[in-house]
C-alpha cells in the first residue's frame, strides 16, 4: 500500500485507524512524518512505544485539515464504519 501511495521522505502522512501501527510504521520507515489516530488506549500505548505520534483518538471527530500528503488506512469494517471513515 505504501508503495502504491508513493510515500516519500518528508511527506505528512495520516493513518486514521492505526491499530498496532503496521501501515504507519512503514510510512515512518520511508521517512514520512506520520500522525496516527487510534480509539483504543491500549493500542495507543503500542503506537507510542513504536515512536509514532498519536494525535487523536477518534478520527471521525477530527476537524478536516489539508496538511497531509497521503492517507493510509485500513478502516474498521463493522456496521458501516468504513464508509463513515471514507466520507
Amino acid at each position: 500500500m505504501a508503495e502504491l501511495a508513493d510515500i516519500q521522505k518528508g511527506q505528512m502522512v495520516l493513518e486514521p485507524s492505526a491499530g498496532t501501527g503496521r501501515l504507519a510504521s512503514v510510512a515512518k520507515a520511508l521517512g514520512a512524518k506520520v500522525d496516527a489516530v487510534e480509539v483504543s488506549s491500549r493500542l495507543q500505548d503500542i503506537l507510542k512505544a513504536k515512536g509514532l505520534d498519536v494525535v487523536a483518538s477518534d478520527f471521525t471527530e477530527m476537524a478536516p485539515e489539508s496538511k497531509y500528503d497521503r492517507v493510509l488506512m485500513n478502516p474498521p469494517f463493522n456496521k458501516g464504519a468504513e464508509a463513515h471513515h471514507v466520507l
Side-chain angles (χ1 to χ4, degrees):
M1 184 183 304
E3 185 177 313
L4 288 172
D6 192 29
I7 303 295
Q8 301 292 318
K9 184 176 182 174
Q11 288 181 325
M12 288 293 300
V13 175
L14 173 67
E15 215 299 47
S17 293
T20 61
R22 290 182 71 193
L23 296 174
S25 294
V26 171
K28 182 178 178 184
L30 291 170
K33 162 68 172 94
V34 181
D35 285 350
V37 178
E38 176 51 50
V39 69
S40 164
S41 60
R42 181 182 63 80
L43 294 176
Q44 287 178 13
D45 290 342
I46 292 170
L47 295 167
K48 290 173 187 174
K50 291 182 175 184
L52 295 164
D53 293 326
V54 178
V55 297
S57 61
D58 189 346
F59 169 70
T60 62
E61 299 204 0
M62 287 178 67
E65 292 186 56
S66 59
K67 71 178 190 178
Y68 298 104
D69 299 297
R70 303 286 188 271
V71 175
L72 293 179
M73 74 177 203
N74 181 18
F77 288 92
N78 58 2
K79 300 179 184 175
E82 69 282 1
H84 189 61
H85 267 60
V86 172
L87 292 174

